[in-house]
Amino acid sequence: MPDRFELQLNNRFSPAYSISSSGSGLLMLNMFFMMPGLLVCLVALHMYPPLDPRMPWAFMLGVYLLPVAVHLLTWILMPASMAARPWRKVYISACLVLVMFSAFLFLNGRMDRSQASQVSTTVVRKNVYRGRHGTSYNLVVTSWRPGRNFEYFGVGESAYDRAQVGKTATVEMHKGYFGLAWHGPISPE
């Protein structure tokens, strides 16, 4: 059985070249360099969940996936001599960006000395998602922010069980030290 798998590619943009399985192994190894940064980001997002998590999640996933996508395109479209770039530095840099972003999220919540405000809202819908790795409980409530109809929150099982559609829930809101609003516990009444 051969130690290496080789694929010969010919395309009109570059001359023929081969890609070996050692290149894919290197890609996987380099992806693992970003895992600590990704895990630290996830912890920060869990500790101080942003009120609108779409942008922080998009940034985190973009920083994680962009080097992988560029590396794969380079690996596929360029000759082997050009594709052999110092990718480990790119992946370690992406990890450092993720660590700095998680420090931003952590400090935004940790250094926030503003008075927490309590916002009263109405539960519109309850959702349970059961998956291979556990169950998540979500509440959809009416929004108090202009231009938005609903807010979506992940909650614990006890808060989910106490919540009733049409009844009031209180959300603890924080301004954030750097201006990124985050929320504390949601208390159904």
Side-chain angles (χ1 to χ4, degrees):
M1 184 155 217
D3 290 342
R4 297 173 61 135
F5 167 76
E6 292 198 6
L7 172 65
Q8 185 75 26
L9 295 177
N10 295 311
N11 66 32
R12 63 182 182 171
F13 301 111
S14 65
Y17 63 97
S18 65
I19 300 173
S20 68
S21 62
S22 61
S24 63
L26 183 62
L27 173 66
M28 293 302 292
L29 176 66
N30 286 332
M31 285 177 63
F32 286 118
F33 282 120
M34 292 190 299
M35 291 305 287
L38 189 66
L39 292 174
V40 172
C41 260
L42 290 172
V43 168
L45 285 169
H46 178 73
M47 288 179 69
Y48 301 106
L51 181 58
D52 191 2
R54 291 175 296 178
M55 290 305 289
W57 273 93
F59 181 80
M60 179 184 69
L61 291 175
V63 169
Y64 184 76
L65 294 176
L66 183 64
V68 174
V70 172
H71 190 172
L72 281 173
L73 284 173
T74 304
W75 187 53
I76 291 170
L77 298 176
M78 291 187 164
S81 61
M82 291 182 67
R85 298 204 176 181
W87 285 106
R88 185 166 289 159
K89 290 179 185 177
V90 172
Y91 286 102
I92 290 173
S93 298
C95 178
L96 292 175
V97 169
L98 288 172
V99 168
M100 287 188 298
F101 181 61
S102 60
F104 166 79
L105 293 172
F106 182 75
L107 292 174
N108 181 65
R110 184 74 175 170
M111 294 175 60
D112 184 9
R113 302 288 182 237
S114 64
Q115 187 73 288
S117 61
Q118 304 293 324
V119 177
S120 186
T121 186
T122 305
V123 177
V124 176
R125 188 171 54 241
K126 297 168 52 170
N127 299 318
V128 176
Y129 298 103
R130 288 180 175 83
R132 185 176 291 167
H133 301 291
T135 304
S136 64
Y137 302 92
N138 299 293
L139 295 180
V140 180
V141 300
T142 55
S143 181
W144 57 92
R145 298 188 289 169
R148 295 184 59 113
N149 295 327
F150 303 106
E151 302 289 343
Y152 303 87
F153 296 105
V155 295
E157 185 177 5
S158 63
Y160 178 85
D161 289 340
R162 288 193 325 266
Q164 295 180 12
V165 174
K167 299 290 184 177
T168 305
T170 303
V171 180
E172 181 182 302
M173 292 301 308
H174 301 269
K175 292 181 182 177
Y177 185 78
F178 298 118
L180 180 64
W182 60 281
H183 67 86
I186 294 108
S187 304
E189 298 174 0

